[in-house]
Amino acid sequence: MFLSQAIQPPCYTVNFLPRSSPKPPSYSVAFYNHSTTSAAGAKISNNHLIQSLCKEGNLKQALRLLSQEPSPPSQQTYELLILCCGRRSSLSDALRVHRHILDNGSDQDPFLATKLIAMYSDLGSVDYARKVFDKTRKRTIYVWNALFRALTLAGHGEEVLGLYWKMNRIGVESDRFTYTYVLKACVTSECTVDHLAKGKEIHAHLTRRGYNSHVYIMTTLLDMYARFGCVDYASNVFNGMPVRNVVSWSAMIACYAKNGKAFEALRTFREMMTETKDSSPNSVTMVSVLQACASLAALEQGRLIHGYILRRGLDSILPVISALVTMYGRCGRLEVGQRVFDRMRERDVVSWNSLISSYGVHGYGRKAIEIFEQMLANGASPTPVTFVSVLGACSHEGLVEEGKRLFESMSRDHGIKPQVEHYACMVDLLGRANRLEEAAKMVQDMRTEPGPKVWGSLLGSCRIHGNVELAERASRRLFALEPKNAGNYVLLADIYAEAQMWDKVKKVKKLLEYRGLQKLPGRCWMEVGRKMYSFVSVDEFNPLMQQIHALLVKLAEDMKEKGYIPQTKGVLYDLETEEKERIVLGHSEKLALAFGLINTAKGEPIRITKNLRLCEDCHLFTKFISKFMEKEILVRDVNRFHLFKNGVCSCGDYW
C-alpha cells in the first residue's frame, strides 16, 4: 500500500560527548519527534507525523502528539484526525479533536465544519452534527449538504425539508448532492401526501436548474416516486433519462416489482439485457426480478434467472439466495426452495423468513413452526417479519393455540413489541377459526388505533362466516380510514348478498358509484411455454375467446352430471340462477384454467396466479376438473396456495 511509503522510520537524535569528557556517552532518543530549533520546523514535522499516524490507524498516538503540539495543526492534519475518529468509531476521541479545533480557533473553517458534521453522522451523533452546523457562520453548500446527509441517514426527513426551504430563501444554490439528499428525505419519514407534494416541488426545482439529465439525481427521483407507489411518475422519469446505468435500471425494475407490476418488471429486465452493453445486472437487480417471477408464479422464467445467477457467480450473495428460496416457494416448488436453502453456506434471518413464509402460504403451519424453532436453535434472532410469517402460517392451517403461544412469546421471550401487522395476523387467525367474538375483543383491547389492516382482517373473517353485524361495525371503521378502497365496499356487499339483503347491496353499490370507485377486476396469470398470459374476469363473453368459453360451457355441463353445483351466492345482482351461473363461468381463474387445459400436455401441471381471493365456485369447479380431467392444478390466490389433485385441495377447504 502507498500509505507505508509515507511513514518514516523512528528518528533518533544522538549526541556524542567529546573524547576529553570523563562522562560516558549519553544517548537522547525521541520517537516520532524531530528536535528542531524553530517553531516552524516543529510544525512541519509534527503535522507530517500526525498525518502518518492517522493513515496507519494509530489514533491514540496521534492524539498524544497533538496534545504536545504548540502550534495549530494544518487543515489537512485536522481532516485526517477527523476521518480517523470516524473510522475508529470513537466518540470520545472525536470530541477531543473537536475541542482542539475550537481552542485553536479553526472551528469557523467551512471545510472542517463539513468534515466534523460527517464524522458525527458516521458516529450516530446527529445532535453534535446539528451543533456544529448551528455554530458555523459561513455555511457553504458543502456544509448544508453534510447536515442534510446526516439528518437523512438519521431519519429526520421533515427537518431536512424545512432546512432546504430555508436554504432556498437565503439564496444558497443547490448542487447535485443537495437534490439527492432532499429527495431521499421525502421518504425517510412516514410517506404522506404532503411529502409527495414536496417531492414533486423538488422535481420542479431540479428541472428548472438543468439537473434532469443527471443520472444519479434522476435515479433518486425515480426511487422516491416508487416509494410512494407513483409508478406512472417513476416510469416517466425513467423513460426521459438520456443516460441510464445499472442502478437506474434496477430502480425501475424494483418499482414495478414492489407495486404489483410484475409483468412490467420482467419486460424492463428483458429490455435491460438487450439494450445495455456496458453494465450487467447486479445482485439488487436479480432480487427484484426474482420477486417479479414469484409474484406471477413464473417458474420457467425463474429457472432461467437461477441459471443466469449461477453463471454470474451471484449465488453466494445472501439476498439473492433468499429471493430464490421465496421464488421457488411462490411458484409451488417448495422442495426446490428447501434444497436451495439447505445448500446455503451461511444464513441470515431473511433466509429463515423466506423459508418460513414459503411453507406458510402453502398451508403447512406446523412445518413453518418447526423451521421457526430450528432458526432459534441455530442462534438466529427473529424479527417482526419473522412473526408475521409464522403467525400467517398458523392462520392458514387453523393453529389457533400455537399462534396465541407465539404471539405471547414476542415480547416475553424476544423483546419484540407486537405491531399492527401482528394483530392483523391474530385477528385473521381467530376469525378464520370462527372465533369472531375473540377476534373482536382483541381489536377492542388494542392500545393503539387498529388501522385498516386489522379491521380488514376482521371484515374478511366476517365474509367467510357471514357475520353481518360485526361486518357492519368493521366496515364503518374501514370506510372512515380508507374511503377510496373499493375492496372494503365490495366485501360488505358480498356479505349482504350472501344474506339475501339485496336492498343493502344496492345501497353499497350506490355508495361506490357516488364516490367514483370501481371494483378491482379479478385477474389471473399463467405461464405457458415461457410466455406469460393474463386473463381478466368478464361478465360478457368475449368473442375473441370463443374456444375458451365453449370449452368452459362444455366442462360445466359435464361436471354438473358428476355432481358439480355452481356456487352463485357471491354474485352481487338479484338475477335468475342461469344468469348468475353465466357470470361465475366468466371468472378469470376459469378462463386461465380452460386456456391451460388447451395448451398444456397430458401430465403437465397447470399453474395459475390470481390477484384476489379464490371464490367458492372456482374452488369447487377446479376440484372437479382436477379429478375428472386427471390434472394437477396449482392456484395461488392473494392469501395462499391451493394444490388441486384427484378432486381434493391442499387447503382442506379452509381458506
Side-chain angles (χ1 to χ4, degrees), residues 33-218:
N33 192 7
H34 286 285
S35 294
T36 56
T37 56
S38 70
K43 179 180 175 182
I44 294 170
S45 176
N46 284 342
N47 267 295
H48 179 73
L49 292 172
I50 293 170
Q51 290 173 24
S52 297
L53 289 165
C54 288
K55 288 176 182 178
E56 68 175 358
N58 197 340
L59 179 60
K60 295 297 182 186
Q61 194 165 350
L63 290 173
R64 280 197 296 271
L65 195 56
L66 178 69
S67 64
Q68 299 167 7
E69 176 57 47
S71 303
S74 67
Q75 186 189 69
Q76 185 182 4
T77 300
Y78 275 138
E79 179 192 8
L80 288 172
L81 283 163
I82 291 167
L83 291 173
C84 196
C85 289
R87 285 196 299 265
R88 305 286 290 183
S89 300
S90 175
L91 180 59
S92 59
D93 290 335
L95 291 169
R96 185 176 169 186
V97 171
H98 190 182
R99 197 177 303 113
H100 201 280
I101 291 173
L102 288 167
D103 292 343
N104 281 324
S106 301
D107 56 306
Q108 290 304 313
D109 182 342
F111 176 81
L112 291 181
T114 301
K115 297 299 178 182
L116 282 168
I117 292 169
M119 174 192 71
Y120 282 129
S121 173
D122 294 341
L123 293 172
S125 301
V126 71
D127 288 339
Y128 284 116
R130 279 196 197 95
K131 287 176 182 176
V132 172
F133 178 84
D134 291 340
K135 291 181 179 180
T136 303
R137 292 187 292 274
K138 185 181 178 183
R139 297 169 184 165
T140 64
I141 186 59
Y142 306 108
V143 176
W144 285 94
N145 286 345
L147 186 65
F148 289 161
R149 172 184 175 273
L151 293 171
T152 300
L153 290 174
H156 301 295
E158 195 70 48
E159 189 175 352
V160 173
L161 295 173
L163 285 167
Y164 172 69
W165 306 126
K166 178 181 177 181
M167 187 186 84
N168 284 331
R169 284 196 301 272
I170 63 176
V172 179
E173 192 76 19
S174 300
D175 66 7
R176 63 188 181 96
F177 296 106
T178 313
Y179 290 119
T180 301
Y181 297 138
V182 295
L183 286 170
K184 288 181 178 179
C186 291
V187 291
T188 53
S189 306
E190 185 179 350
C191 293
T192 65
V193 175
D194 186 47
H195 289 133
L196 175 60
K198 289 178 179 177
K200 289 179 179 178
E201 193 170 343
I202 294 164
H203 185 179
H205 283 197
L206 64 91
T207 300
R208 286 196 298 269
R209 292 171 185 172
Y211 283 98
N212 55 336
S213 61
H214 197 287
V215 64
Y216 296 107
I217 293 176
M218 299 312 284

Side-chain angles (χ1 to χ4, degrees), residues 275-293:
E275 292 183 19
T276 58
K277 297 178 181 178
D278 300 331
S279 57
S280 299
N282 58 22
S283 61
V284 176
T285 321
M286 304 320 297
V287 168
S288 297
V289 174
L290 288 169
Q291 288 172 348
C293 291

Side-chain angles (χ1 to χ4, degrees), residues 473-494:
R473 177 183 159 195
S475 60
R476 279 194 296 271
R477 297 295 303 138
L478 283 167
F479 294 166
L481 291 166
E482 296 181 318
K484 297 295 185 181
N485 187 344
N488 297 326
Y489 299 86
V490 173
L491 263 180
L492 181 61
D494 280 346

Side-chain angles (χ1 to χ4, degrees), residues 422-635:
H422 304 108
Y423 281 102
C425 287
M426 288 303 297
V427 170
D428 186 64
L429 170 62
L430 294 166
R432 285 177 187 273
N434 203 12
R435 293 165 69 162
L436 286 168
E437 291 305 320
E438 197 175 339
K441 188 176 186 309
M442 174 167 274
V443 176
Q444 183 180 333
D445 292 345
M446 285 180 65
R447 295 180 180 178
T448 58
E449 164 60 43
K453 290 182 180 178
V454 176
W455 287 114
S457 293
L458 188 60
L459 183 61
S461 299
C462 293
R463 163 71 177 82
I464 295 169
H465 300 291
N467 189 315
V468 175
E469 183 182 349
L470 194 54
E472 289 177 334
R473 177 183 159 195
S475 60
R476 279 194 296 271
R477 297 295 303 138
L478 283 167
F479 294 166
L481 291 166
E482 296 181 318
K484 297 295 185 181
N485 187 344
N488 297 326
Y489 299 86
V490 173
L491 263 180
L492 181 61
D494 280 346
I495 294 166
Y496 284 144
E498 189 171 345
Q500 303 289 303
M501 301 169 71
W502 298 111
D503 288 342
K504 292 201 171 183
V505 171
K506 288 177 183 176
K507 285 182 181 178
V508 174
K509 290 173 74 174
K510 282 183 180 178
L511 190 57
L512 271 169
E513 234 175 89
Y514 173 75
R515 295 189 172 176
L517 304 176
Q518 287 187 336
K519 176 184 176 181
L520 180 68
R523 182 181 292 273
C524 283
W525 298 269
M526 70 179 303
E527 184 182 37
V528 175
R530 292 181 180 173
K531 290 183 179 179
M532 297 302 303
Y533 296 86
S534 176
F535 306 86
V536 182
S537 294
V538 289
D539 289 346
E540 297 296 330
F541 286 145
N542 185 338
L544 298 175
M545 302 181 73
Q546 288 182 0
Q547 185 182 8
I548 288 175
H549 287 298
L551 176 59
L552 282 173
V553 171
K554 179 69 168 62
L555 288 172
E557 291 174 356
D558 291 346
M559 294 305 106
K560 283 180 182 179
E561 293 178 3
K562 300 179 187 299
Y564 162 64
I565 302 174
Q567 305 294 300
T568 60
K569 59 187 179 183
V571 177
L572 301 181
Y573 305 95
D574 189 8
L575 302 169
E576 295 296 326
T577 301
E578 286 185 6
E579 190 67 14
K580 288 184 177 182
E581 289 181 11
R582 188 186 68 81
I583 290 172
V584 297
L585 202 59
H587 283 187
S588 60
E589 47 266 64
K590 291 192 183 77
L591 300 176
L593 177 57
F595 183 82
L597 291 170
I598 293 168
N599 291 284
T600 57
K602 186 177 180 180
E604 183 182 353
I606 294 174
R607 292 184 178 85
I608 299 169
T609 302
K610 183 175 171 63
N611 67 332
L612 302 173
R613 180 182 182 270
L614 198 62
C615 81
E616 287 85 348
D617 186 64
C618 288
H619 193 269
L620 180 62
F621 187 84
T622 309
K623 284 204 294 186
F624 272 88
I625 294 295
S626 71
K627 181 177 181 179
F628 294 105
M629 299 294 289
E630 297 180 353
K631 200 76 169 172
E632 185 177 304
I633 304 162
L634 186 74
V635 180

